[in-house]
Amino acid sequence: MASTENLILLVEDDPDHEALAIRALRKANVANEIRVARDGAEAIEYMNGIVSGVNPMPQLVLLDLKLPKVEGLDVLRAIRVADKTALLPVVVLTSSDEERDIVASYRLGVNSYIRKPVNFTDFAEATRQLGMYWLLLNQCPPTL
């Protein structure tokens, strides 16, 4: 399997949210390579590439739930079903605070659920903390 240490896969269809997330991560001195999947089908295609050894394993997936083509919950389900990606840390980063989305995400094995703050300052701070925890403090499973 191809590997790139510290790669982040950002699954985000909104170009403004994509730019904000990348800007906030860079502002927090997160220098990791960031690859972007802009819809659910593209994210699943990327995951299939991990399974086949074509795509590198990310250290973290930041997953929006409201995606075109394939919903984020279906992307999460696909990640958890494949042996190679089953333990991959996934953080839902979404504008939804609906209880059914939160419950469904945890039932499918999400590692964290974060509601996107409305203003950039709060969003940047949440992304900074997210990056600090998941990329610096968190210990990934040894199979990654």
Side-chain angles (χ1 to χ4, degrees):
M1 174 186 335
S3 69
T4 299
E5 279 197 36
N6 304 323
L7 171 71
I8 299 169
L9 179 62
L10 174 62
V11 184
E12 176 61 67
D13 65 311
D14 185 317
D16 292 333
H17 291 177
E18 173 192 331
L20 284 175
I22 292 172
R23 182 174 166 208
L25 288 167
R26 297 298 182 231
K27 192 172 180 174
N29 296 320
V30 173
N32 303 53
E33 179 182 349
I34 301 170
R35 295 196 183 176
V36 179
R38 292 186 174 85
D39 60 53
E42 195 174 315
I44 288 177
E45 184 179 316
Y46 187 91
M47 292 301 147
N48 290 337
I50 293 171
V51 172
S52 66
V54 173
N55 291 334
M57 177 72 78
Q59 181 180 359
L60 176 66
V61 175
L62 299 177
L63 176 65
D64 192 9
L65 288 185
K66 308 300 182 196
L67 297 169
K69 297 184 182 175
V70 178
E71 287 285 324
L73 291 174
D74 292 326
V75 173
L76 180 57
R77 186 175 293 110
I79 291 170
R80 294 301 183 233
V81 164
D83 285 342
K84 286 188 176 179
T85 59
L87 300 177
L88 179 60
V90 177
V91 173
V92 166
L93 187 59
T94 182
S95 56
S96 172
D97 63 353
E98 294 181 37
E99 185 175 319
R100 68 174 182 238
D101 287 339
I102 297 168
V103 170
S105 295
Y106 279 107
R107 284 196 172 147
L108 290 171
V110 75
N111 298 95
S112 185
Y113 189 101
I114 298 171
R115 186 173 186 276
K116 293 176 189 170
V118 175
N119 71 55
F120 177 74
T121 302
D122 292 343
F123 185 85
E125 178 58 20
T127 305
R128 184 191 70 76
Q129 290 181 21
L130 186 156
M132 292 290 290
Y133 178 78
W134 286 104
L135 301 171
L136 299 176
L137 297 175
N138 183 54
Q139 182 71 47
C140 289
T143 56
L144 293 177

